[in-house]
């Protein structure tokens, strides 16, 4: 079946990659993407928040043969410079210690090519510009993005790119989209501007923060488009909803972060499926009424329908036993490699029996699969 996938186009009008934010955990999305690319699942639309916006922009802003090398080079560039003392040892306590030191390094020194601590702590300001009210400076990220992304290619719209952000002043969710505007480094940085760690990014006089504040699982972007197509959506999540009961205060911190940043994606998916299923039913009903000329159907009624059928396939990062509450800012090279390998292995295993890639029926609005 894997060879068949490589040789024959998938029975969909479009393929969507939906990337959550999650800092260092975003390396998992690289492994997922690599395995999907190998099996012919190239995206036609990439939607991302925060680190998912950065990964997505690197995919869209590079030619197919260099996308994965560029992604891996980016992650190698921003990885912690500390040596991986305990990477080769099969000992959770030693790996736990390494991850603790690595996240501590990041908190104190930042990450090369990504962000660094500000010389003056924002606590010392009674009032200041919104762009100065953060603990870290992300200005070096602009140069890094320009190094790894061909913005001319990105804005040719060969692949659609949608980046989630939030307006600081009114709290509204905002989407930067290369199908509607020219997307540059500042739009990506705005999507990844998580306060109070990172500063707000000003674009055309307006200030923006990380899209994950509003929703770290931006499924509504697809729902609101009302696209009359059959779509295959790969949703790559970085924070689990289910976990064991915390046994320490650090595990309480981690569990709280998991629940917050998962954006209650199960609830989001349930509501998405319910609403989209209803819109699909309205579309089918309006076709029957129109064909049989039962009544004069108001135009507004028909417009509420949607003929698209969406197959959502979710891949989810699974915690290692040595992951800490700081795993989203733990950038050791060994952890980056672990995350990439996990994503790659999960997709490869799922492709051994890829029934989840089969097209869904016309009378079904949405199907959620977790291979």
């Amino acid at each position: 079946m894997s060879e068949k996938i490589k040789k024959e186009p998938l029975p969909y009008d479009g393929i969507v990659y939906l990337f959550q934010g999650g800092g260092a955990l975003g390396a998992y999305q690289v492994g997922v993407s690599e395995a999907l690319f190998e099996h012919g699942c190239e995206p036609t639309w990439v939607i991302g928040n925060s680190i998912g916006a950065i990964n997505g922009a690197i995919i869209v802003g590079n030619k197919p043969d260099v996308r994965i090398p560029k992604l891996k080079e980016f992650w190698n560039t921003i990885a912690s410079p500390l040596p991986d003392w305990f990477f080769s040892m099969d000992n959770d306590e030693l790996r736990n210690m390494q991850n603790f030191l690595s996240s501590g390094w990041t908190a104190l020194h930042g990450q090369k090519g990504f962000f660094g601590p500000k010389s003056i702590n924002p606590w010392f300001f009674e009032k200041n510009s919104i762009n100065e009210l953060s603990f870290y400076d992300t200005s070096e990220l602009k140069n890094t993005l320009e190094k790894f992304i061909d913005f001319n290619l990105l804005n040719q719209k060969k692949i659609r790119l949608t980046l989630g952000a939030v307006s600081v002043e009114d709290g509204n969710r905002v989407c930067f989209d290369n199908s509607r505007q020219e997307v540059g480094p500042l739009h990506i940085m705005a999507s990844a501007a998580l306060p109070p760690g990172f500063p707000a990014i000003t674009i055309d006089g307006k200030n923006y923060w990380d899209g994950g504040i509003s929703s770290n699982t931006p499924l509504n972007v697809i729902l609101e488009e009302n696209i009359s197509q059959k779509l295959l959506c790969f949703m790559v999540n970085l924070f689990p909803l289910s976990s064991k009961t915390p046994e320490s205060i650090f595990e309480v911190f981690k569990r709280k972060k998991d629940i917050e940043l998962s954006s209650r994606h199960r609830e989001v998916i349930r509501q998405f499926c319910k609403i989209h299923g209803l819109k699909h039913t309205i579309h089918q009903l309006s076709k029957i009424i129109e064909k049989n000329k039962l009544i004069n159907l108001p135009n507004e009624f028909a417009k509420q329908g949607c003929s698209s059928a969406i197959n959502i396939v979710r891949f989810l990062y699974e915690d290692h036993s040595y992951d800490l509450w700081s795993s989203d800012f733990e950038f050791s090279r060994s952890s980056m490699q672990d995350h990439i390998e996990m994503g790659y292995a999960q997709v490869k295993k799922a492709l051994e029996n890829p029934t989840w890639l089969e097209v869904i029926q016309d009378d079904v609005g949405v199907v959620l699969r977790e291979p």
Side-chain angles (χ1 to χ4, degrees), residues 18-27 29 47-55 75 164 191-192 194 210-213 215-218 236-240 257-258 260-263 317 328:
L18 187 71
F19 289 160
Q20 275 192 340
L25 299 175
Q29 295 168 347
I47 304 169
N49 276 344
S50 200
I51 197 66
I54 294 175
N55 284 334
W75 282 93
S191 182
L194 183 64
D210 191 306
I213 296 176
S215 173
N216 205 29
T217 311
V236 189
N237 289 5
L238 303 177
F239 294 95
K257 185 182 292 184
D258 286 345
E260 287 176 343
L261 293 178
S262 67
S263 292
Y317 175 82
D328 58 331

Side-chain angles (χ1 to χ4, degrees), residues 244-262:
K244 66 181 182 67
T245 303
E247 297 177 346
S248 70
I249 190 62
F250 290 108
E251 290 184 359
V252 169
F253 279 125
K254 184 179 186 305
R255 192 73 198 105
K256 175 178 177 289
K257 185 182 292 184
D258 286 345
I259 294 172
E260 287 176 343
L261 293 178
S262 67

Side-chain angles (χ1 to χ4, degrees), residues 28-46:
Y28 169 79
Q29 295 168 347
V30 178
V32 171
S33 299
E34 182 177 13
L36 291 175
F37 290 163
E38 289 180 358
H39 289 80
C41 300
E42 297 274 346
T44 58
W45 185 9
V46 181

Side-chain angles (χ1 to χ4, degrees), residues 31-191:
V32 171
S33 299
E34 182 177 13
L36 291 175
F37 290 163
E38 289 180 358
H39 289 80
C41 300
E42 297 274 346
T44 58
W45 185 9
V46 181
I47 304 169
N49 276 344
S50 200
I51 197 66
I54 294 175
N55 284 334
I58 294 174
I59 289 173
V60 176
N62 281 283
K63 295 180 180 179
D65 59 331
V66 297
R67 286 173 186 158
I68 295 303
K70 285 286 188 180
L71 280 167
K72 291 182 176 180
E73 186 183 353
F74 166 79
W75 282 93
N76 186 60
T77 297
I78 67 171
S80 171
L82 295 177
D84 291 330
W85 299 285
F86 311 123
F87 177 51
S88 61
M89 298 184 183
D90 187 19
N91 185 304
D92 285 355
E93 291 184 1
L94 292 177
R95 284 298 302 276
N96 187 291
M97 183 185 302
Q98 174 178 288
N99 292 353
F100 177 78
L101 293 172
S102 177
S103 58
W105 171 275
T106 298
L108 289 173
H109 303 285
Q111 293 299 138
K112 179 183 177 182
F114 197 165
F115 60 92
K118 289 192 170 179
S119 56
I120 302 178
N121 192 294
W123 288 117
F124 291 105
F125 298 122
E126 181 178 355
K127 289 186 178 181
N128 206 335
S129 163
I130 185 68
N131 311 101
E132 298 297 330
L133 296 176
S134 65
F135 293 100
Y136 299 95
D137 173 31
T138 58
S139 58
E140 57 186 305
L141 177 59
K142 183 175 184 293
N143 292 331
T144 302
L145 294 173
E146 290 172 341
K147 175 183 176 181
F148 289 101
I149 298 170
D150 181 344
F151 284 94
N152 288 328
L153 176 61
L154 183 150
N155 286 297
Q156 288 177 13
K157 308 176 185 179
K158 294 181 178 179
I159 300 176
R160 184 177 176 184
L161 176 67
T162 305
L163 311 175
V166 172
S167 172
V168 174
E169 283 75 20
D170 60 26
N172 288 331
R173 180 170 56 87
V174 177
C175 288
F176 304 120
D177 195 309
N178 68 347
S179 69
R180 303 186 182 118
Q181 65 194 111
E182 184 168 316
V183 171
L186 290 181
H187 298 97
I188 303 169
M189 294 171 66
S191 182

